Amino acid sequence: MSENTQSPRKPRVAVVFGGRSSEHAISVVTAGAVLRAIDRTKYDVLPIGITTDGRWALTADAPERMAIADRALPNVSDLAESEQGGVVLSVDPANREVVYAEPGSVPKALGEVDVVFPMLHGPYGEDGTLQGLLELSGVPYVGAGVLASAVGQDKEYMKRVFTSFGLPVGPYEVIRPREWEQNPAAARKKIVEFAAEHGWPLFVKPARGGSSMGITKVDDLSGLDEAIEEARRHDPKILVESLLRGREIECGVLEFEDGPRASVPAEIPPVTDHDFYDFEAKYIDSASGIVPAPIGDEATAEIQRLAVAAYEAVSCEGLVRADFFLTEGGEFVINEINTMPGFTPISMYPRMWQESGVSYPELVDRLIQAALTRSTGLR
């Protein structure tokens, strides 16, 4: 009598995207690229979109509807299978069952999730909040943990950590919410004194934002208040940075079995149709980075060393894109890291790894496998 053997099920990957931050649309675009690249013979996939108001929605597995089309940005609400139904992840570590519920209907079990691929950018996703939920749920996930995600999102504390580890950072000033709300004249004076020391122009940006959203290049005092208000539309805490004259160089870090390794670097050349490498230049008018960056072997080795050092300083996991300036004096200054960098095929992180011998599908697979081998909790 033959035994009825059942083949083991494939690992189930929940791709979570969208979210409540101003980077919602870019998260959708990124998730579309990842959904297209995941090996369906190796993994089962469950797409979960988070709407701009925070509802977890069951969405269509339709990568073709998740791209920027005719400069129009995609939205989770357009992909959701219903206007009211919600996906619920248990916070019981012994139960990884995902449930879908419609108002007035019996909840429907969608099966267990083995790993979450959080393709979220900005607050409420990349900043440790989602990672904390997944830790409570006992579900492994791709990328940095709670602390590294939070530090990687807050540019002030990121720079403070870099400084404590001896990594070179440029001049900056922080304006906290209460400073601007209670005494804008004193906050403005603080920035003017910073400009007197370091010179104009300045960059005014959200302290906890990304995708170059909310950033303004300010040439003199006349544009300062407007720039502050623009940054505060994205984050009540703002960061002011001096202009660093030099070349913009990026480097990717990826977790391998023997530890993190750095990719070949890329150079972001000066953009001609934009004041700086802003959201439009990155995502609408296409990225035009040079990969590999033509900086020579010695500089390449140094930026790779610094990129891995930044990854380790913040206790990152999985992946990081580290952004630097190569100054006119030949020194590298780290601007920031991104714990969940832009991940479309034209984004710099995948392009750097493609040039380093890791294809886009292999990159996605490697990140999932690394997450599956990690436990949640203290590690």
Side-chain angles (χ1 to χ4, degrees), residues 16-361:
V16 180
F17 59 95
R20 294 162 57 188
S21 84
S22 54
E23 298 175 78
H24 178 98
I26 294 308
S27 173
V28 177
V29 173
T30 302
V34 169
L35 286 170
R36 196 175 290 112
I38 290 179
D39 184 351
R40 303 307 178 97
T41 67
K42 193 171 180 179
Y43 305 103
D44 284 328
V45 178
L46 177 66
I48 300 173
I50 302 177
T51 63
T52 54
D53 60 1
R55 178 172 62 94
W56 287 44
L58 191 62
T59 66
D61 187 0
E64 68 281 356
R65 294 170 53 196
M66 300 168 72
I68 298 174
D70 297 325
R71 304 177 78 87
L73 301 176
N75 192 292
V76 166
S77 295
D78 298 330
L79 299 161
E81 294 197 351
S82 84
E83 295 182 359
Q84 294 182 302
V87 174
V88 179
L89 179 67
S90 171
V91 291
D92 178 1
N95 176 19
R96 294 182 180 176
E97 191 88 16
V98 175
V99 174
Y100 178 72
E102 289 271 9
S105 300
V106 177
K108 179 174 67 174
L110 299 177
E112 289 191 348
V113 166
D114 297 290
V115 64
V116 169
F117 204 135
M119 302 309 308
L120 293 148
H121 302 303
Y124 311 110
E126 191 184 350
D127 60 349
T129 51
L130 177 65
Q131 290 75 15
L133 172 63
L134 296 173
E135 292 285 352
L136 289 173
S137 301
V139 180
Y141 52 93
V142 170
V146 175
L147 174 67
S149 296
V151 172
Q153 185 66 33
D154 191 312
K155 294 177 176 64
E156 176 194 358
Y157 289 100
M158 181 198 308
K159 290 176 186 291
R160 290 183 182 276
V161 170
F162 289 157
T163 300
S164 72
F165 276 83
L167 295 169
V169 303
Y172 69 95
E173 188 62 83
V174 177
I175 303 297
R176 302 181 185 281
R178 192 176 300 154
E179 290 182 82
W180 184 251
E181 292 160 6
Q182 295 186 354
N183 195 340
R188 194 180 298 109
K189 182 174 182 287
K190 185 176 172 181
I191 298 172
V192 170
E193 290 174 348
F194 177 81
E197 181 179 357
H198 299 288
W200 300 89
L202 303 176
F203 286 94
V204 178
K205 59 177 66 174
R208 295 163 290 195
S211 294
S212 296
M213 301 185 82
I215 301 178
T216 305
K217 183 181 178 184
V218 183
D219 294 313
D220 54 45
L221 187 58
S222 64
L224 185 58
D225 282 18
E226 185 179 351
I228 291 171
E229 292 301 339
E230 170 60 20
R232 281 173 52 81
R233 287 199 312 110
H234 300 269
D235 185 352
K237 182 168 81 166
I238 66 168
L239 195 76
V240 179
E241 295 175 336
S242 62
L243 173 67
L244 291 175
R245 302 189 185 279
R247 299 159 68 181
E248 291 188 52
I249 311 293
E250 299 182 346
C251 188
V253 180
L254 178 64
E255 182 179 336
F256 284 77
E257 290 77 9
D258 59 350
R261 299 183 201 170
S263 70
V264 300
E267 179 170 8
I268 308 300
V271 288
T272 56
D273 298 331
H274 302 266
D275 208 18
F276 60 97
Y277 193 48
D278 61 5
F279 178 87
E280 291 267 328
K282 281 183 179 179
Y283 299 109
I284 304 297
D285 296 334
S286 81
S288 57
I290 303 167
V291 188
I295 58 176
D297 293 344
E298 186 175 338
T300 294
E302 175 64 3
I303 196 174
Q304 289 174 327
R305 181 189 72 80
L306 288 170
V308 172
Y311 176 100
E312 298 279 34
V314 183
S315 299
C316 293
E317 294 167 293
L319 73 165
V320 146
R321 192 194 71 230
D323 301 345
F324 296 83
F325 290 101
L326 178 54
T327 68
E328 294 171 345
E331 301 295 324
F332 280 110
V333 175
I334 185 165
N335 184 38
E336 64 182 55
I337 59 168
N338 199 308
T339 57
M340 186 51 71
F343 212 87
T344 68
I346 69 163
S347 298
M348 298 313 302
Y349 184 85
R351 287 181 60 193
M352 288 187 286
W353 279 109
Q354 178 77 42
E355 190 67 25
S356 304
V358 180
S359 69
Y360 191 85

